[in-house]
């Protein structure tokens, strides 16, 4: 019995090391899984945000091929960082629509003039009602909408250059 008591602290220490090591070695899943994936877009109709661009409605989807739906704001710094990637996607022929959240048309025009305008349509979500209906909690967020109008994927945060291959893959799958 005394031999067991002598080895007990070492056994407890070894158990503690094993628990800590398993937490360090095993990567935890930090991805946020959207509840909207595989669902149809919620019904909405947004007025145009800027002159010369149509507004946006859920009826615009499910016609033709897949599209990106970007939720952004002119006051959002990550949206500025994301802008070159959206331009690159638009130059590859990806149709991109946008929802401007809690924004002012004059500020959005300045944002587009400074950072480029990859959007076919921009809807004005002044109260963030559509953003919340989409399950979006911040800006920027981008949804891949399939040709059938279903949400294929939700990208939370700014799109970075390394995200473009995955987005292109999702768009191809969503045909």
């Amino acid at each position: 019995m005394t031999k067991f008591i002598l080895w007990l602290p070492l056994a407890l220490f070894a158990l503690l090391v094993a628990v800590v090591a398993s937490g360090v070695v095993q990567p935890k899943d930090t991805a946020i899984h959207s509840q909207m994936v595989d669902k149809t877009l919620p019904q909405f109709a947004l007025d145009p945000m800027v002159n010369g661009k149509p507004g946006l409605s859920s009826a615009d989807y499910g016609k033709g091929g897949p599209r990106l739906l970007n939720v952004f704001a002119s006051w959002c710094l990550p949206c500025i960082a994301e802008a070159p990637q959206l331009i690159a996607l638009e130059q590859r022929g990806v149709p991109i629509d946008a929802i401007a959240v809690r924004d002012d048309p004059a500020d959005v025009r300045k944002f587009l003039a400074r950072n480029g305008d990859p959007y076919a349509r921009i809807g004005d979500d002044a109260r963030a009602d559509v953003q919340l209906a989409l399950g979006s909690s911040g800006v920027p967020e981008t949804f891949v909408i399939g040709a059938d109008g279903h949400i294929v994927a939700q990208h939370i945060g700014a799109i970075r250059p390394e995200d473009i291959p995955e987005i292109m893959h999702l768009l191809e799958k969503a045909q």
Side-chain angles (χ1 to χ4, degrees), residues 41-42 44 56-70 95-99 121 143-150:
L41 279 171
F44 66 89
L56 187 63
S57 85
S58 54
D60 295 325
Y61 294 90
K63 306 172 186 168
R67 308 180 68 82
L68 291 182
L69 175 57
N70 181 247
I96 306 171
D97 301 314
I99 295 175
R121 297 174 274 203
F143 294 85
V144 178
I145 311 297
D148 61 357
H150 281 78

Side-chain angles (χ1 to χ4, degrees), residues 1-23:
M1 181 72 177
T2 54
K3 280 186 173 180
F4 176 72
I5 291 175
L6 289 174
W7 288 98
L8 185 59
L10 182 60
L12 290 174
F13 179 73
L15 179 65
L16 178 67
V17 169
V19 169
V20 170
S22 70

Side-chain angles (χ1 to χ4, degrees), residues 53 56 61 66-72 82-99 117-122 141-143 159 167 171:
K53 293 250 181 208
L56 187 63
Y61 294 90
R67 308 180 68 82
L68 291 182
L69 175 57
N70 181 247
V71 180
F72 83 106
E82 177 183 62
Q85 279 60 250
L86 292 174
I87 296 289
L89 286 165
E90 191 256 345
Q91 288 172 345
R92 290 174 129 184
V94 175
I96 306 171
D97 301 314
I99 295 175
D117 181 2
Y119 304 120
R121 297 174 274 203
I122 304 175
E141 288 191 23
T142 303
F143 294 85
I159 295 173
I167 289 172
L171 287 164

Side-chain angles (χ1 to χ4, degrees), residues 32-121:
I32 298 170
H33 303 283
S34 172
Q35 300 298 314
M36 294 300 290
V37 171
D38 294 331
K39 295 184 179 172
T40 56
L41 279 171
Q43 296 293 311
F44 66 89
L46 297 173
D47 291 331
M49 172 52 93
V50 294
N51 292 335
K53 293 250 181 208
L56 187 63
S57 85
S58 54
D60 295 325
Y61 294 90
K63 306 172 186 168
R67 308 180 68 82
L68 291 182
L69 175 57
N70 181 247
V71 180
F72 83 106
S74 67
W75 41 264
C76 160
L77 292 178
C79 297
I80 295 169
E82 177 183 62
Q85 279 60 250
L86 292 174
I87 296 289
L89 286 165
E90 191 256 345
Q91 288 172 345
R92 290 174 129 184
V94 175
I96 306 171
D97 301 314
I99 295 175
V101 178
R102 297 181 189 210
D103 220 325
D104 179 75
D107 293 337
V108 170
R109 279 192 303 274
K110 289 177 191 169
F111 177 90
L112 297 173
R114 271 192 319 262
N115 303 298
D117 181 2
Y119 304 120
R121 297 174 274 203

